[in-house]
Structures are given as C-alpha cells and as structure tokens.
C-alpha cells in the first residue's frame, strides 16, 4: 500500500521542479521515496533516457513494463538488451486473462471490436494493481507526443484511492524534451533501441494496434488506426492532476 505523504508538500515541490533538469527530478524522487518510486517503461526512447540517467547516477529505481502478450518480438528483444545493459530485471505486469481466455469470454481479437475494453483489461488494470503498491510512478511522457499530452506537468499528483485517501505522484521528467533531443541523447550514450524504429515506427505498442508513421503525422498517429482513440488509458484513468 502507498505511504501517506503530504499532498501540500508535493504541490509545493511540483512548482519548484517544473523547470528542473531530468537528473534533478530523478534525484529528488530517489531521495524522497527510494524504491517506492518506480520507472514504468514501454521502451520508447524517452524511457531509455530516464533509465540511463537514473542508473548511471546510482538511482536504482525498480522498473516495470506492461506485457499485454501482444508486444512485438523486437520490443521483447529490446527489453532483454536493456536488462543486460543496466544489469537489472524488469518486472512484467501481465493481464489476469491469457489471450485465449479473453477470446473465449469476450470474442476473438478484442482489439478489433472493443479496443478500449482490451486496453483496460490488458494494460490499465495491471497498472492500477502495480500503482497501488507505489508512491511514485516515473514515466517517459513528453508534451510533444500528441495533443492529449501537451499539458503534462513534470510532477503531477492524483487522488489514486479516494476511499483510503491515498495519492500517487506521477513523475514525467521527460515532459519538455523533444523527439530530436531524445534521439541525440540515445546516440550520444549508445543506448539500445527498438529495431522497428528503423522501419518507420515512432511510437510502438501492441502489434495489432501499431503501424509505421509517415513524416508529417504526429508520433502517436500509428496507434489504433481506424479508431477514434489515441491513448490506451494508462495516462488518463487517474483523472485530473490535483
Ligand atoms: S493496444 Fe491493442 S492489443 Fe494492446 S491492449 Fe490495447 S487494444 Fe489490446
């Protein structure tokens, strides 16, 4: 269960850190919360930057990823490369149902019929369970990724469990970074990348819901083509930043 921290103190700190550097934000999280802060990654470029910056400075946050069972083999290869590079084990958050169980109960290829439900079952609920054990969730969200993310703050506070009056801090230390800045950092530090990037994929999620994007499209335009959907729900289910 998350510890009870003072929301007022977090709000004050949020103002102070809004213009802080990546390393300053991560150092604060480590000093204030230690391993009750964890990095959640889907192995996009920004997440790789966060991990490199943390681990090269001795900030040994736990890391988790949501493994829907529908990730590209290239993404799973990258997970193995990242674990080797940093000498860590990344915790996979898995849905309650296997794909077969889901298909038997809700029909085959739920992503083609009810993608919101599919994302909820395979991503949001596993994440909710994980967050209920943490104080801080560290993400790689960037404002530039799409319209829905342009108001992202570096430090956000959510009333995670209203009944138990528990909060979670969502830390978005990459919020102000551009895609070019991320790519430059990755090259400079020779970080492993998803092999799909060279084939035109700029935002990489589950196989059935991801396609390469053309120049001129926003980074997340290759997700859920054919549906009025640009977010899986993991960055929206918490409601409003308070
Ligand atoms: S991204 Fe697609 S396949 Fe993955 S959980 Fe969401 S709807 Fe299902």
């Amino acid at each position: 269960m998350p510890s009870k921290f003072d929301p007022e103190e977090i709000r004050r700190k949020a103002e102070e850190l809004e213009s802080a550097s990546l390393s300053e934000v991560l150092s604060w999280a480590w000093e204030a919360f230690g391993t009750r802060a964890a990095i959640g990654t889907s192995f996009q470029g920004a997440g790789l930057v966060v991990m490199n910056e943390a681990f090269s400075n001795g900030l040994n946050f736990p890391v988790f990823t949501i493994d829907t069972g529908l990730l590209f083999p290239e993404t799973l290869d990258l997970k193995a490369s990242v674990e080797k590079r940093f000498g860590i084990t990344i915790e996979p958050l898995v849905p309650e149902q296997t794909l077969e169980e889901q298909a038997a109960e809700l029909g085959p290829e739920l992503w083609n019929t009810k993608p919101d439900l599919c994302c909820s079952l395979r991503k949001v609920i596993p994440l909710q369970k994980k967050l209920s054990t943490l104080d801080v969730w560290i993400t790689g969200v960037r404002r530039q990724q799409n319209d829905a993310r342009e108001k992202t703050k570096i430090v956000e506070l959510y009333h995670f469990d209203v009944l138990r009056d528990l909060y979670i801090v969502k830390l978005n230390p990459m919020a102000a970074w551009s895609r070019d800045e991320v790519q430059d950092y990755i090259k400079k530090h020779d970080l492993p990348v998803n092999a799909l990037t060279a084939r035109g994929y700029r935002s990489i999620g589950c196989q059935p819901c991801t396609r390469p994007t053309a120049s001129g499209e926003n980074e997340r335009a290759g997700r859920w083509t054919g549906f009025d959907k640009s977010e899986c729900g993991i960055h929206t289910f918490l409601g409003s930043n308070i």
Side-chain angles (χ1 to χ4, degrees):
M1 182 185 294
S3 53
K4 287 208 171 188
F5 47 79
D6 179 5
E8 273 313 314
E9 197 182 316
I10 299 296
R11 285 192 196 98
R12 277 196 297 277
K13 203 69 198 174
E15 279 183 34
E16 190 184 318
L17 291 176
E18 191 55 31
S19 55
S21 68
L22 170 62
S23 64
E24 287 169 335
V25 176
L26 292 176
S27 294
W28 167 72
W30 183 249
E31 280 161 26
F33 297 97
T35 56
R36 295 193 62 79
I39 298 170
T41 183
S42 56
F43 308 103
Q44 319 290 338
L48 303 174
V49 173
V50 170
M51 284 188 274
N52 190 64
E53 200 66 21
F55 300 137
S56 58
N57 287 295
L59 315 179
N60 295 319
F61 297 107
V63 182
F64 63 84
T65 189
I66 302 173
D67 186 348
T68 60
L70 290 153
L71 299 179
F72 286 92
E74 289 86 347
T75 303
L76 297 173
D77 288 347
L78 177 57
K79 175 176 181 272
S81 301
V82 167
E83 289 179 321
K84 193 170 169 201
R85 166 78 181 244
F86 297 122
I88 59 171
T89 300
I90 297 174
E91 179 190 6
L93 310 185
V94 296
E96 270 184 24
Q97 289 189 319
T98 64
L99 287 166
E100 293 72 24
E101 288 166 343
Q102 179 173 289
E105 187 182 323
L106 298 164
E109 301 188 353
L110 192 59
W111 46 90
N112 283 331
T113 55
K114 293 178 180 157
D116 284 343
L117 178 59
C118 188
C119 279
S120 179
L121 294 170
R122 309 202 75 75
K123 290 187 172 191
V124 177
I125 291 172
L127 176 67
Q128 282 174 322
K129 281 189 189 158
K130 181 64 187 175
L131 295 188
S132 72
T133 69
L134 295 172
D135 288 333
V136 181
W137 169 27
I138 304 171
T139 83
V141 168
R142 291 184 297 109
R143 296 180 187 126
Q144 207 189 55
Q145 285 173 303
N146 65 13
D147 292 348
R149 298 186 178 189
E150 68 183 9
K151 292 196 168 69
T152 302
K153 300 276 191 196
I154 303 280
V155 182
E156 298 179 343
L157 180 67
Y158 294 93
H159 213 174
F160 176 69
D161 186 330
V162 177
L163 284 180
R164 288 183 295 171
D165 198 28
L166 296 175
Y167 295 83
I168 187 136
V169 177
K170 186 178 177 188
L171 212 59
N172 308 299
M174 299 297 292
W177 285 50
S178 69
R179 183 174 181 83
D180 286 347
E181 286 171 323
V182 170
Q183 297 310 317
D184 289 348
Y185 183 104
I186 285 171
K187 271 190 207 132
K188 183 177 170 193
H189 295 271
D190 194 26
L191 299 181
V193 292
N194 197 315
L196 294 171
T197 310
R199 297 181 351 224
Y201 290 80
R202 288 191 294 164
S203 173
I204 302 165
C206 295
Q207 283 196 61
C209 304
T210 307
R211 65 163 173 82
T213 49
S215 61
E217 288 186 302
N218 80 42
E219 289 179 39
R220 290 178 60 83
R223 310 286 289 273
W224 303 286
T225 299
F227 290 94
D228 181 19
K229 178 173 168 70
S230 63
E231 295 285 342
C232 62
I234 64 168
H235 293 299
T236 52
F237 83 91
L238 284 165
S240 302
N241 172 27
I242 56 169

